[in-house]
Amino acid sequence: MKAFALAFGYAMVLPTLALAECPGVTAGELTVSKAWSRVTIGTQRPAVFYVEIRNDGQTDDRLIGIETSAAGMPMLHQTVIKDGVASMPHAAAVEIPAGQTVSLAPGGYHGMLMDLTRPLVEGESFPVTLTFEQAGAVEIETRILPIRAQEAQCDAER
Ligand SMILES: [Cu+2]
């Protein structure tokens, strides 16, 4: 009975662990990692998509689009603050210069998942496909973090 209680206790604790492995996915010289989003209430408002992209090559690349079954109209946006007013114009592409790491992160470039096909539930994940001009398409699992999350919650740098 004690063993059962211990096992049960462990199972109860697991889903609340904030940190997880965030394995990177490579395509050519690019490594895509730390993909995350935030829980949504229903499907009325768009969800966010954040990710880190490292270019270990000698050639610049560009992120030119994102796709996911979780949203009917995923887009790339850039948060711009001009004269104290924030706006989010559509970004046709995000430059990924050779030798650099570029993050889609709160306050900067981000994916905007419009037309959600289902609510995003905390603790679950969904695949997003990123399309690069040079490296082609890369699919990565995107973790759904709590509403106040400001960065990927990974157990180690990768
Ligand atoms: Cu946006």
Side-chain angles (χ1 to χ4, degrees), residues 35 49 66-69 113 126-130 138-142:
F49 170 72
I66 54 172
E67 272 180 73
T68 174
S69 60
L113 310 180
F126 60 96
V128 172
T129 301
L130 296 86
V138 182
E139 184 181 285
I140 188 163
E141 276 299 304
T142 303

Side-chain angles (χ1 to χ4, degrees), residues 51-64:
V51 71
E52 192 175 287
I53 302 149
R54 193 177 77 227
N55 185 348
D56 290 318
Q58 309 286 325
T59 315
D60 297 347
D61 207 338
R62 306 168 82 211
L63 172 62
I64 53 176

Side-chain angles (χ1 to χ4, degrees), residues 1 15 23 25 30 51 53 69 78 82 93 112 148 153:
M1 206 55 202
V25 183
L30 299 185
V51 71
I53 302 149
S69 60
Q78 183 179 18
K82 197 175 181 183
M112 194 106 267
R148 289 185 182 81
Q153 296 168 357

Side-chain angles (χ1 to χ4, degrees), residues 64 90 98 105 112 115 154:
I64 53 176
H90 173 239
M112 194 106 267
D115 243 338
C154 303

Side-chain angles (χ1 to χ4, degrees), residues 77 88 110 112:
H77 278 179
M88 300 196 299
H110 55 276
M112 194 106 267

Side-chain angles (χ1 to χ4, degrees), residues 27-39:
E29 302 285 1
L30 299 185
T31 302
V32 179
S33 63
K34 299 178 185 171
W36 63 281
S37 181
R38 287 196 195 101
V39 61

